């Protein structure tokens, strides 16, 4: 109970300042959030390639894709309707 009693005046002071100047608080919080989001604004999602050509040559994943296409064509190949 002692810790909660010590934190209450801090939050009360913050709340009083926000209520006294709501527009300034809104602008300041928006600027802070945009500054924190700046590194990911131009982030590109997804892989650069969309198929087996994006897997490096000589890797075990490429070998596995080749084996699947040779010995299990019903699962790894696309069916055209």
């Amino acid at each position: 109970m002692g810790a909660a009693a010590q934190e209450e005046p801090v939050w009360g002071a913050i709340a009083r300042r926000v209520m006294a100047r709501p527009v300034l608080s809104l602008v300041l919080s928006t600027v802070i959030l945009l500054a924190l989001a700046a590194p990911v604004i131009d982030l590109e999602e997804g892989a650069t390639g969309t198929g087996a050509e994006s897997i490096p040559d000589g890797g075990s994943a490429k070998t596995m894709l080749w084996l699947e296409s040779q010995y299990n064509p019903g699962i790894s190949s696309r069916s055209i309707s």
Side-chain angles (χ1 to χ4, degrees):
M1 187 163 173
Q6 290 175 355
E7 290 181 21
E8 190 173 312
V10 173
W11 289 111
I14 292 171
R16 280 190 294 279
R17 288 183 179 150
V18 168
M19 296 301 285
R21 295 187 176 97
V23 175
L24 178 64
S25 300
L26 177 68
V27 170
L28 185 62
S29 63
T30 302
V31 167
I32 291 170
L33 288 174
L34 286 174
L36 290 172
V40 295
I41 287 176
D42 62 343
L43 184 68
E44 293 181 20
E45 296 179 13
T48 55
T50 57
E53 64 274 357
S54 65
I55 300 173
D57 288 331
S60 61
K62 190 88 150 194
T63 304
M64 190 64 188
L65 286 173
W66 180 82
L67 285 171
E68 283 183 356
S69 69
Q70 297 300 313
Y71 297 105
N72 210 355
I75 294 175
S76 61
S77 65
R78 294 183 178 171
S79 60
I80 300 173
S81 305

